Amino acid sequence: MTIKEQSIIANSTNILKLRSNHPESLKEMIEIDLAKRLQDIEAGIQRTCDRLKQFEDQY
């Protein structure tokens, strides 16, 4: 599998091209990774909400 990635430039569209001889397994791998990232973001938002509530209760 070859991955080509363009340089990251602020305020631009980043393009990532993936090629695979097994596109279904690649699709599954990407879906699993995105689900994990979403779970991490949701957990971070929950921690932020908890801290905000604690701050509001304290002050």
Side-chain angles (χ1 to χ4, degrees):
M1 175 173 34
T2 303
I3 298 176
K4 293 182 180 181
E5 189 172 346
Q6 292 184 346
S7 299
I8 298 174
I9 301 172
N11 298 322
S12 71
T13 301
N14 297 308
I15 298 172
L16 177 66
K17 292 185 180 182
L18 301 173
R19 293 176 191 241
S20 174
N21 293 330
H22 309 284
E24 286 305 313
S25 63
L26 182 61
K27 179 182 176 185
E28 182 180 356
M29 180 183 71
I30 292 169
E31 287 174 343
I32 290 169
D33 184 65
L34 289 175
K36 173 69 173 122
R37 289 172 188 250
L38 178 59
Q39 186 178 35
D40 290 346
I41 290 169
E42 289 173 338
I45 291 170
Q46 185 59 53
R47 285 191 302 274
T48 300
C49 288
D50 294 344
R51 290 183 193 140
L52 181 58
K53 173 93 170 85
Q54 182 183 16
F55 177 83
E56 288 173 338
D57 290 346
Q58 186 175 353
Y59 300 102

